[in-house]
């Protein structure tokens, strides 16, 4: 097993991308990063940690790989921004205001988080302890310990973009050889068994399917490799404008993949 | 870093106990186990994984250690049993019935889980995806992969007590040397910084304090080492009865530590 830390870094991109690099090599992959603080601890009202995502990937054989890629906060900043743009109220359990009370106005939460005047996004499990908010809070801090404290990098509320620098985030990347534990073919066979069972789990009333982590993304990737990647019309147009400015080809519009 | 798997095992006890064994040795500790299946995947209605706890421990200096010890389901079976005994309805987001609908009667859920007739406890994050239930579901499966699939042991719904044997659960135990990353004294100093900041986080309206993972347990341990461990009156009496039967001393009742 190998573990590496990275410090003084910048935007991590997709955590699962790094974890998945392990898959073709009969390895288990793990990747995590801290991010600029926007999460509020259980019973608190000030941001103390980031969305601090973690990703874990394990290969299978016939089934797609198991790829978990999750923020340890209940939602990310982007989801709040979407609600703000659409003037949709936030559901309970997503965020608190500057007094630490349930917050439903995305715009105010975003502004308060930016100014660090109190309030922010809740950890996975929501407000208080009744639904396990203290677990998500603990996971977020675990990621900060493994990325930042282990690497000698900024942690907690000190992780923030400033006028002079980016947030200087840090990461942890790890991989473990499956063959040190058992025959990788047998491992993959059992992964097929586990993932197949999950996929075949009888769905709840009103639901069509049960997915395992990474399955939907893999299905979408296969589909989009054929049909092209749907883009928001606005993004498509922006890319076209940039292309025109630079004198390069605009993104093609493929029939069957209408821009969204 | 070292990783070991254990298979064909029995009740794990306290996950945090094993993770904390790393602390006096300048190591990070990790411990996890699968358990008999009682958790229902996101959008599903059959049990497919256990409470699958994970524990992580990291040493500090003046502050107590950071010790996360959490089930990856929103609650454990014991919590449902307590609600059943007290005839208290289950809050939303804890469990689903045999149709996969929100369940509020603890007794029926416990019975349905036992018979595997559908229904069970939800993953951390609750029902559906709105509060991140798919993340808790993913964490639970990750623990099953790392404990059982990696060890060549029973996984998923096959983890169950039978008439002839216990659930034959499996565990993963890992430890990593801090000094391979940085001076352990500096690591501990920064842990003090991080944990001190969390402890000093301004509390939400109506709350007195913010804790970091493991802090309350450490405080309670120090207190109970002086005052004795409070016991439920019924447990105290049961221990007394067993002691009398075996002809040994009953548990002492210490003044200042009234049985609860």
């Amino acid at each position: 097993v190998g573990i590496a830390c990275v410090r003084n870094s910048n935007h991590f991109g997709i955590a699962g991308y790094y974890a998945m690099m392990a898959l073709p090599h009969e390895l288990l992959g793990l990747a995590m990063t801290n991010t600029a603080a926007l999460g509020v601890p259980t019973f608190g009202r000030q941001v103390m940690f980031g969305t601090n995502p973690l990703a874990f990937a394990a290969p299978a054989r016939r089934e797609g790989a198991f790829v978990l890629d999750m923020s340890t906060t209940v939602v990310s900043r982007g989801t709040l921004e979407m609600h703000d743009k659409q003037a949709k109220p936030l559901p309970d359990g997503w965020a608190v205001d500057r007094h630490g009370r349930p917050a439903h106005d995305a715009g105010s939460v975003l502004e308060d988080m930016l100014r660090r005047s109190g309030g922010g996004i809740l950890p996975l499990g929501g407000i208080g302890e009744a639904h396990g908010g203290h677990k998500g809070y603990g996971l977020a801090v675990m990621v900060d310990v493994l990325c930042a404290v282990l690497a000698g990098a900024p942690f907690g509320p000190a992780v923030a973009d400033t006028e002079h620098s980016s947030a200087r985030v840090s990461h942890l990347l790890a991989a473990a050889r499956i063959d040190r534990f058992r025959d990788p073919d047998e491992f993959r066979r059992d992964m097929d068994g586990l993932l197949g069972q999950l996929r075949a789990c009888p769905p709840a009333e009103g639901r069509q399917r049960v997915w395992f982590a990474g399955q939907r993304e893999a299905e979408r990737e296969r589909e989009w490799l054929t049909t092209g990647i749907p883009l928001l019309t606005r993004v498509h147009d922006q890319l076209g404008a940039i292309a025109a400015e630079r004198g390069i080809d605009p993104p093609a519009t493929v029939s069957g993949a209408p821009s969204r």
Side-chain angles (χ1 to χ4, degrees), chain A:
Chain A
V1 54
I3 305 179
C5 287
V6 179
R7 64 182 172 189
N8 201 18
S9 181
N10 212 310
H11 196 281
F12 195 45
I14 302 160
Y17 177 83
Y18 303 105
M20 289 173 75
M21 291 172 77
L23 295 175
H25 306 286
E26 309 283 19
L27 297 166
L28 302 172
L30 183 71
M32 47 183 86
T33 185
N34 67 2
T35 77
L38 53 65
V40 172
T42 306
F43 303 140
R45 61 179 164 89
Q46 276 285 355
V47 295
M48 286 285 161
F49 48 80
T51 53
N52 293 11
L54 66 87
F56 170 78
R61 198 162 50 186
R62 287 186 315 275
E63 300 288 340
F66 176 79
V67 183
L68 176 66
D69 182 351
M70 55 172 272
S71 65
T72 51
T73 48
V74 65
V75 287
S76 60
R77 183 196 293 268
T79 311
L80 257 60
E81 285 166 350
M82 292 283 274
H83 276 66
D84 184 34
K85 278 179 190 152
Q86 299 168 20
K88 273 171 68 180
L90 302 177
D92 275 335
W94 278 20
V96 290
D97 68 13
R98 62 180 72 181
H99 307 287
R101 294 178 300 215
H104 300 102
D105 178 35
S108 315
V109 174
L110 286 165
E111 213 178 287
D112 287 346
M113 281 198 313
L114 195 70
R115 296 191 187 164
R116 301 256 168 131
S117 49
I121 298 176
L122 285 163
L124 175 61
I127 199 163
E129 294 182 317
H131 291 83
H134 54 302
K135 300 179 186 180
Y137 163 36
L139 287 172
V141 175
M142 179 184 81
V143 170
D144 213 9
V145 169
L146 286 171
C147 294
V149 181
L150 198 56
F155 50 77
V159 186
D161 293 306
T162 70
E163 269 181 64
H164 308 289
S165 86
S166 73
R168 298 171 58 219
V169 293
S170 46
H171 324 308
L172 179 135
L173 303 157
R177 281 173 60 169
I178 293 166
D179 68 352
R180 288 297 175 126
F181 294 88
R182 64 184 302 207
D183 179 342
D185 284 335
E186 290 176 15
F187 177 89
R188 286 169 176 275
R189 182 202 61 206
D190 281 356
M191 283 300 295
D192 278 353
L194 174 60
L195 300 180
Q197 278 174 344
L198 294 172
R199 216 164 33 76
C201 177
E205 208 176 76
R207 291 286 170 183
Q208 307 307 314
R209 290 177 65 183
V210 171
W211 289 272
F212 60 79
Q215 188 193 344
R216 271 191 293 192
E217 292 79 0
E219 286 179 5
R220 209 170 294 160
E221 184 181 6
R222 275 195 298 276
E223 184 194 332
W224 289 356
L225 281 171
T226 311
T227 62
I229 300 170
L231 293 178
L232 288 166
T233 308
R234 203 162 57 97
V235 173
H236 183 269
D237 294 350
Q238 281 171 341
L239 288 173
I242 293 170
E245 218 178 85
R246 307 277 165 176
I248 55 175
D249 289 341
T253 304
V254 181
S255 157
S259 45
R260 285 187 185 171

